[in-house]
């Protein structure tokens, strides 16, 4: 909200010495966020005067039209002779009054003016446009043409109010009252302890039966509707300079007199208004919800399809406006420059439901000055005063006549009353304010206060944000000064440290970071099309998602069921920016909908919720297991003087899963698998035993080429994803001290020939079980394939077996017997035979 200091002074007698910076400090102390103070005309220096165009000579032979003008500037040039000026603008003619800057002046931006020769003539100054004076465009896109009655030679700096200070206030969502000069003036009056001249205190005639007919069919959406009619407006009437300048200072462009007046009153009182061309309105004006499929062309020229929840203004033809957002083009006020301008208008001043207006504005992606105010809260009692103020200005400036009829449709309502202990602000702030201070501050913001120890507070109509006792406490605290609150260190209770889940989460992250992975957290929002890119089956449980009612992005309305989409997107972005050797990981929640949908209970705020209430709330939320995932592409080991590098492959993804499982203390079984985004022949399945039942907890391996293409990833990208919560449940991460034996190890190597399709994991499992308790470790150190030596469809797996006893040195016979038992069981289960 832009607030010119000159306008603010009309309603509050601020000290003459107060600058914009001083007012800013006072308002900031009172809780308003004044971001900047703009000094208009700070570097402007005259002479800048009003001139009248005497002659215009068209200069030819140039690439663009150029005119040589003589302008009467009175005695401003010291001679009284006409001023000769070269100008390229075309929107003025002989006899027009214009703004002339004379040599020796300085325009905004430090542009000095002097006599100079151009286009073969000497130009003694300039004829100015609004942009050159820092005023902004007035809609003419050219030279400023002043009203005919403007006095020649008059100081244009004073006439156009070019020197001023403008406060730019960032109004929070709960302070809709400050989206007006009236609201900011009230805050300034309180901050300075001065009286307020409320511009809404007008003599307003009561409603009668002669007003324009209005029918409100939805009193919940529109609880107040005031209509006034003004006839006989002069089509040629233009907005006076003072009105245009005030609109420009608050950031609005002058359009036409009737529209400018409604915008002016809105900025002054905070009540949005709309003016209809009476000759274009057909029958009774109505307020109702739109019918599904109805359409309207709004003032911005866009045809909009209406939703059944949209609140609309209608006549007998249908919708003529989106209530509280934007009017319709079929009743638009005609511009004064047109041959047949609007002469009769109907003024609408209404109060609409904030939620309804906010949803309509967002639904149609149509934010306006009116919708910004309605969705933050507008004073319903100001509607009649705003309509009267608009009528008065139209009668004054356009020679119109106010009709006696006054329409006012009001839904019954009672003022909002709050009961608050007089010492409640003291308890909230930790400061002893006392009853007198509390009552005085609440009265300053417009509240009616009664009572002694228990205060009965009636909230003013312009403060809909004051809903409960803490809102009232905040008013007292902010007006007394946040800077006066004492600093008190909190005394937190002693903590119990991290939970087991938090510790595992951190350990897994540290382990992956130590293995060379970089953490890349992602937003949990996904589109449902991403599951097609991942190649999931139509009935895959991962396709069941939790959809958001109000998503941040309409293209990603669901919560993720996998960490891979976000990680793959991060990998694609980094690869596209030149980082080709990538290893990324993320630990985070995924969201799985429950089979039974429940409505979450509203928990109390005046006490701690019970365990049962919290459990009921948790039961209504989706399941949120924590997953861990990695993605890899490019080189896993860099090449250098030490030797050749190595590209990342499926084995690295599998090893990342094993690494996380070791941190969780879980026994992870790795075997061949097939699922969704992974290549069928290069996919590992992770399995753990939960209550005696094998449970799949994740997959790892190389991604399918179709998935790589769909996501735009580097070739041979690999990935892994694990359910970290299941690993936590089955794991035992109790720290184990290393056992150091005093007895030597006995090593036995075996090479087994098996069919190519037999997984190494099955062979290793059989060897472990067959070797018994003496087996300390087993490692696969060679895989060999040769059809001539091994036979068709065969491969050789070479293992190093380490045997050790805790109480003695093993003999060769004991180690050999354990090895033979291991080979025998492997042969029985997998068909393995000793090579050679």
């Amino acid at each position: 909200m832009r607030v010119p200091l000159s306008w603010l002074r009309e309603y509050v007698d601020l000290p003459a010495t107060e600058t914009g910076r001083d007012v800013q400090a006072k308002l900031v102390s009172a809780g308003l966020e004044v971001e900047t103070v703009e000094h208009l005309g700070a570097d402007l220096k005259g002479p800048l005067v009003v001139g009248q165009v005497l002659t215009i000579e068209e200069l030819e032979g140039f690439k663009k039209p150029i005119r040589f003008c003589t302008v009467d500037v009175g005695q401003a040039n010291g001679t009284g002779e006409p001023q000769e000026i070269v100008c390229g603008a075309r929107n003025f003619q002989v006899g027009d009054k214009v703004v002339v800057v004379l040599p020796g002046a300085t325009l905004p931006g430090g542009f000095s003016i002097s006599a100079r020769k151009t286009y073969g003539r000497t130009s003694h100054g300039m004829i100015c446009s609004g942009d050159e004076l820092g005023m902004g465009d007035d809609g003419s896109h050219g030279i400023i043409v002043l009203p005919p009655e403007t006095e020649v030679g008059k100081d244009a700096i004073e006439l156009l109010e070019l020197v001023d200070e403008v406060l730019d206030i960032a109004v929070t969502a709960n302070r809709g009252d400050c989206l007006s000069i009236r609201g900011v003036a009230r805050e300034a009056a309180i901050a300075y302890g001065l009286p307020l001249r409320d511009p809404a205190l007008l003599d307003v005639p009561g409603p009668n039966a002669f007003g324009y007919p209005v029918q409100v069919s939805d009193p919940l959406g529109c609880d107040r509707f005031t209509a006034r009619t003004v006839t006989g407006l002069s089509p040629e009437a233009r907005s006076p300079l003072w009105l245009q300048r005030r609109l420009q200072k608050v950031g609005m462009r002058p359009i036409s007199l009737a529209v400018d007046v409604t915008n002016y009153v809105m900025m002054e009182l905070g009540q949005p208004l709309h003016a209809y061309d009476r000759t274009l309105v057909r029958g009774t004006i109505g307020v109702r919800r739109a019918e599904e499929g109805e359409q309207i062309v709004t003032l911005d020229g866009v045809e909009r399809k209406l939703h059944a929840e949209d609140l609309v203004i209608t006549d007998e033809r249908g919708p003529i406006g989106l209530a509280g957002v934007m009017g319709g083009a079929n009743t638009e006020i005609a511009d004064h420059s047109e041959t047949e301008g609007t002469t009769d208008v109907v003024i609408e001043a209404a109060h609409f439901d904030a939620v309804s207006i906010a949803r309509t504005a967002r639904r149609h992606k149509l934010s306006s000055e009116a919708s910004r105010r309605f969705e933050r809260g507008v004073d319903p009692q100001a509607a009649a005063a705003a309509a009267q103020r608009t009528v008065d200005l139209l009668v004054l400036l356009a020679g119109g006549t106010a009709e006696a009829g006054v329409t006012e449709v009001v839904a019954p309502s009672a003022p909002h009353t709050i009961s608050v202990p007089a010492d409640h602000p003291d308890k909230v702030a930790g400061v002893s304010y006392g009853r007198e201070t509390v009552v005085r501050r609440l009265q300053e913001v417009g509240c009616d206060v009664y009572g002694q120890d228990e205060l009965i507070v009636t909230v003013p109509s312009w403060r809909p944000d004051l809903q409960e006792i803490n809102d009232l406490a905040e008013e007292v605290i902010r007006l007394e000064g946040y800077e006066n609150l004492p600093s008190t260190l909190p005394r937190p209770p002693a903590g119990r440290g991290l939970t087991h889940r938090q510790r595992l989460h951190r350990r897994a992250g540290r382990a992956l970071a130590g293995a060379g992975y970089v953490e890349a957290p992602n937003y949990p929002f996904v589109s449902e099309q991403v599951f097609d890119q991942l190649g999931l089956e139509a009935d895959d449980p991962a396709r069941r998602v939790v959809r958001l009612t109000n998503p941040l992005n309409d293209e990603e309305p669901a919560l993720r069921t996998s960490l891979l989409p976000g990680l793959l997107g991060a990998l694609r972005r980094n690869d596209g920016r030149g980082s080709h050797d990538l290893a990324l990981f993320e630990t985070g929640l995924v969201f799985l909908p429950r089979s039974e949908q429940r409505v979450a209970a509203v928990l109390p705020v005046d006490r701690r919720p019970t365990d049962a209430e919290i459990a009921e709330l948790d039961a209504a939320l989706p399941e949120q297991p924590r997953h861990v995932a990695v993605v890899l592409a490019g080189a896993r080991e860099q090449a250098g003087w030490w030797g050749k590098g190595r590209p990342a492959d499926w084995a690295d993804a599998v090893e990342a899963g094993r690494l996380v499982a070791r941190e969780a203390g879980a026994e992870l079984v790795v075997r061949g698998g097939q699922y969704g985004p992974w290549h069928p022949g290069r996919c590992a399945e992770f399995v753990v035993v939960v209550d005696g039942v094998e449970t799949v907890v994740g997959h790892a391996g190389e991604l399918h080429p179709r998935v790589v293409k769909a996501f735009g990833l580097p070739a041979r990208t690999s990935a892994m994803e694990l359910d970290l919560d299941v690993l936590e449940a089955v794991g035992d991460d109790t720290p184990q001290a290393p056992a150091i034996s005093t007895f030597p190890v006995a090593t036995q190597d075996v090479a087994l020939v098996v069919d190519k399709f037999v997984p190494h994991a099955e062979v290793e499992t059989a060897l472990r079980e067959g070797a018994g308790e003496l087996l300390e470790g087993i490692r696969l150190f060679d895989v060999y394939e040769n059809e001539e030596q091994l036979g068709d469809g065969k491969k050789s797996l070479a293992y190093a077996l380490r045997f050790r006893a805790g109480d003695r040195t093993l003999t060769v016979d004991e180690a050999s017997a354990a090895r033979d038992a291991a080979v025998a069981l492997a042969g029985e289960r997998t068909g393995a035979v000793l090579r050679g």
Side-chain angles (χ1 to χ4, degrees):
M1 175 68 191
R2 291 172 57 85
V3 180
L5 195 58
S6 59
W7 198 350
L8 192 64
R9 289 182 183 275
E10 282 198 8
Y11 309 126
V12 185
D13 290 326
L14 298 174
T17 57
E18 288 293 282
T19 65
R21 293 291 185 189
D22 298 328
V23 178
Q24 177 189 30
K26 285 284 189 179
L27 294 179
V28 168
S29 179
L32 293 185
E33 185 179 349
V34 184
E35 293 186 326
T36 60
V37 178
E38 183 180 354
H39 298 270
L40 302 181
D43 51 356
L44 178 63
K45 178 184 176 183
L48 188 72
V49 298
V50 176
Q52 184 172 20
V53 180
L54 301 178
T55 64
I56 298 178
E57 178 187 349
E58 300 288 346
L59 302 183
E60 298 181 354
F62 301 102
K63 293 183 179 180
K64 63 179 181 178
I66 298 297
R67 310 166 95 184
F68 181 69
C69 311
T70 59
V71 185
D72 178 14
V73 294
Q75 297 299 318
N77 58 3
T79 65
E81 296 294 324
Q83 200 79 1
E84 296 179 341
I85 298 175
V86 176
C87 183
R90 315 290 298 175
N91 69 312
F92 64 95
Q93 56 190 359
V94 173
D96 281 347
K97 303 289 181 65
V98 294
V99 178
V100 179
V101 57
L102 300 177
T106 303
L107 294 182
F111 183 56
S112 298
I113 303 299
S114 61
R116 64 189 183 95
K117 189 170 183 179
T118 179
Y119 297 103
R121 303 292 179 94
T122 300
S123 182
H124 299 272
M126 286 175 53
I127 301 176
C128 297
S129 68
D131 286 336
E132 289 165 338
L133 298 179
M135 296 169 52
D137 181 31
D138 62 356
S140 65
H141 304 288
I143 293 303
I144 301 171
V145 178
L146 301 172
E149 64 274 11
T150 310
E151 179 186 349
V152 172
K154 184 178 179 63
D155 184 1
I157 295 178
E158 179 182 353
L159 176 69
L160 299 177
E161 302 178 14
L162 296 178
V163 178
D164 201 351
E165 292 182 278
V166 179
L167 284 67
D168 193 351
I169 302 176
V171 179
T172 55
N174 67 318
R175 291 303 304 272
D177 61 304
C178 288
L179 285 173
S180 66
I181 304 297
R182 178 197 183 200
V184 177
R186 181 180 291 107
E187 291 295 315
I190 296 173
Y192 280 93
L194 297 171
L196 170 71
R197 289 188 293 275
D198 192 342
L201 294 180
L202 302 175
D203 291 331
V204 179
N208 53 52
F210 309 108
Y212 198 94
V214 173
Q215 182 179 359
V216 177
S217 302
D218 190 340
L220 295 178
C222 175
D223 57 8
R224 184 179 294 266
F225 194 106
T226 300
R228 300 289 299 274
T229 304
V230 181
T231 59
L233 300 178
S234 171
E236 294 81 21
R238 297 181 57 185
S239 301
L241 287 175
W242 65 265
L243 194 151
Q244 292 187 46
R245 287 297 295 133
R246 285 194 169 177
L247 289 178
Q248 289 172 333
K249 289 177 183 178
V250 298
M252 303 189 76
R253 183 174 67 86
I255 299 174
S256 64
L257 178 59
V259 176
D260 291 349
V261 167
T262 58
N263 286 336
Y264 177 84
V265 176
M266 175 181 67
M267 302 307 296
E268 181 180 56
L269 301 182
Q271 168 66 53
L273 302 108
H274 190 71
Y276 301 93
D277 189 327
R278 183 175 180 178
T279 62
L280 300 179
V281 179
R282 301 286 183 263
T284 301
I285 292 179
V287 183
R288 61 170 172 83
R289 298 288 174 175
E291 296 177 4
E292 195 70 45
E294 279 189 309
Q295 295 183 340
I296 184 176
V297 178
T298 46
L299 289 174
D300 56 359
V302 177
E303 183 175 343
R304 303 180 185 278
K305 186 176 181 181
L306 300 178
H307 188 275
E309 291 184 6
D310 291 336
L311 198 64
V312 292
I313 310 298
T314 65
D315 64 5
E316 63 183 23
R317 297 167 297 178
I320 60 174
L322 272 175
V325 180
M326 185 174 287
N330 54 354
T331 57
E332 183 178 6
I333 297 290
D335 192 271
H336 61 76
S337 62
E338 300 181 14
T339 56
E340 294 184 3
T342 298
T343 58
D344 300 341
V345 298
V346 178
I347 307 299
E348 165 209 309
H351 184 261
F352 300 110
D353 174 60
V355 174
S356 176
I357 300 305
R359 288 178 175 173
T360 296
R362 283 157 179 73
R363 189 179 297 119
H364 294 281
K365 297 180 173 62
L366 183 62
S367 179
S368 64
E369 291 290 344
S371 68
R372 287 182 62 220
R373 284 161 175 79
F374 278 123
E375 64 190 33
R376 286 167 172 79
V378 168
D379 181 4
Q381 303 293 334
Q388 182 64 46
R389 176 74 164 138
T390 304
V391 169
D392 292 343
L393 287 173
L394 288 176
V395 170
L396 174 67
L397 302 176
T401 301
E403 290 195 350
V406 177
T407 302
E408 191 164 336
V409 181
V410 181
S413 63
H416 183 51
T417 300
I418 304 172
S419 177
V420 54
D423 61 349
H424 182 69
D426 300 11
K427 294 179 179 178
V428 172
V431 176
S432 179
Y433 292 123
R435 179 187 177 281
E436 291 185 2
T437 299
V438 171
V439 171
R440 175 171 56 85
R441 289 303 190 183
L442 293 178
Q443 288 175 338
E444 285 178 344
V445 299
C447 296
D448 291 331
V449 185
Y450 303 94
Q452 291 298 318
D453 294 338
E454 190 75 17
L455 303 178
I456 306 300
V457 181
T458 301
V459 174
S461 59
W462 56 83
R463 291 298 302 274
D465 59 306
L466 302 182
Q467 293 292 322
E468 49 102 15
I469 60 175
N470 287 322
D471 296 330
L472 300 180
E474 182 181 6
E475 291 300 297
V476 175
I477 296 168
R478 76 176 180 89
L479 294 178
E480 285 295 307
Y482 291 120
E483 67 277 9
N484 296 323
L485 293 178
S487 298
T488 305
L489 291 176
R491 296 180 180 179
R496 291 178 291 179
L498 299 177
T499 64
H500 183 270
R501 188 186 195 204
Q502 291 170 329
R503 288 196 298 270
L504 175 59
H505 178 205
R506 294 191 180 190
R507 285 204 315 275
R510 282 195 295 266
L512 290 172
Y517 291 85
V518 176
E519 187 170 15
N522 295 282
Y523 288 115
F525 313 116
V526 296
S527 67
E528 295 184 59
Q529 287 72 29
V530 76
F531 301 121
D532 296 328
Q533 295 176 294
L534 289 173
L536 300 185
E537 299 292 338
D539 59 348
D540 195 297
R543 285 183 176 270
R544 293 184 61 245
V545 295
V546 177
R547 293 178 180 82
L548 299 171
T549 302
N550 188 23
L552 295 178
N553 184 351
D554 291 338
E555 296 180 359
E556 296 179 334
L559 292 174
R560 66 189 180 191
T561 57
S562 166
L563 300 183
L564 290 183
L567 276 178
L568 295 178
L571 186 141
R572 180 184 63 248
R573 288 190 297 274
N574 282 275
D575 181 72
R577 293 169 184 170
S579 298
H580 304 300
D581 302 327
L582 297 163
L584 309 178
F585 84 93
E586 180 180 6
T587 55
L589 302 179
V590 298
F591 305 86
L592 309 177
R594 298 181 187 270
S595 56
E596 179 185 356
Q597 297 293 330
R598 300 185 183 181
V599 177
V602 178
L603 298 182
V605 296
D606 58 341
R607 60 176 174 81
R608 183 188 184 282
T610 64
D611 293 341
E613 289 172 332
I614 295 176
E616 183 181 358
L617 178 65
D618 288 340
L621 298 175
E623 295 182 17
Q624 301 175 55
R626 187 177 297 276
H627 282 201
V628 57
V630 305
V631 292
L632 305 99
R636 185 67 176 131
E637 296 177 3
Q638 296 290 336
W641 58 266
W642 51 84
K644 294 181 179 180
R646 180 179 67 81
D649 60 16
W650 62 268
D652 296 299
V654 173
E655 181 56 30
R658 287 197 175 103
L659 177 63
V660 173
R662 284 196 295 270
E663 290 296 325
E667 185 176 346
L668 194 67
V669 177
V670 182
R671 63 192 184 195
Q674 183 171 341
Y675 178 68
W678 282 278
H679 193 296
R682 298 165 188 165
C683 174
E685 182 179 79
F686 294 140
V687 177
V688 296
V689 178
V690 181
D691 297 330
V693 179
E694 288 189 346
T695 303
V696 177
V697 293
H699 295 82
E702 183 180 314
L703 295 179
H704 198 287
R706 285 197 296 268
V707 175
V708 170
K709 182 179 180 180
F711 279 92
L713 305 173
R716 311 299 291 270
T717 297
S718 300
M720 178 278 292
E721 184 167 12
L722 265 173
D723 189 325
L724 198 55
D725 283 356
V726 176
L727 290 183
E728 178 192 3
V730 302
D732 180 10
D733 58 355
T734 303
Q736 300 289 334
I740 301 175
S741 175
T742 58
F743 300 100
V745 64
T747 302
Q748 297 273 355
D749 293 344
V750 295
L752 303 177
V753 178
V754 296
D755 293 331
K756 282 187 178 181
F757 64 83
V758 176
H760 141 68
E762 293 185 10
V763 179
E764 181 179 318
T765 300
L767 290 173
R768 284 183 181 279
E769 293 184 15
E773 296 180 354
L774 294 180
L775 182 67
E776 182 181 77
I778 181 171
R779 178 175 62 88
L780 174 69
F781 66 86
D782 184 52
V783 178
Y784 177 71
E785 295 182 8
N786 188 310
E787 293 184 0
E788 294 182 0
Q789 296 185 15
L790 302 179
D792 188 21
K794 299 292 185 178
K795 64 180 177 182
S796 171
L797 303 176
Y799 293 90
L801 307 179
R802 292 169 56 89
F803 298 99
R804 194 194 313 256
D807 57 351
R808 67 187 186 282
T809 299
L810 292 178
T811 64
V812 173
D813 292 339
E814 288 177 312
S816 298
R819 180 202 61 191
D820 294 341
V823 171
L825 187 59
E828 180 182 335
R829 289 188 179 178
T830 66
V833 297
L834 280 172
R835 180 179 167 190

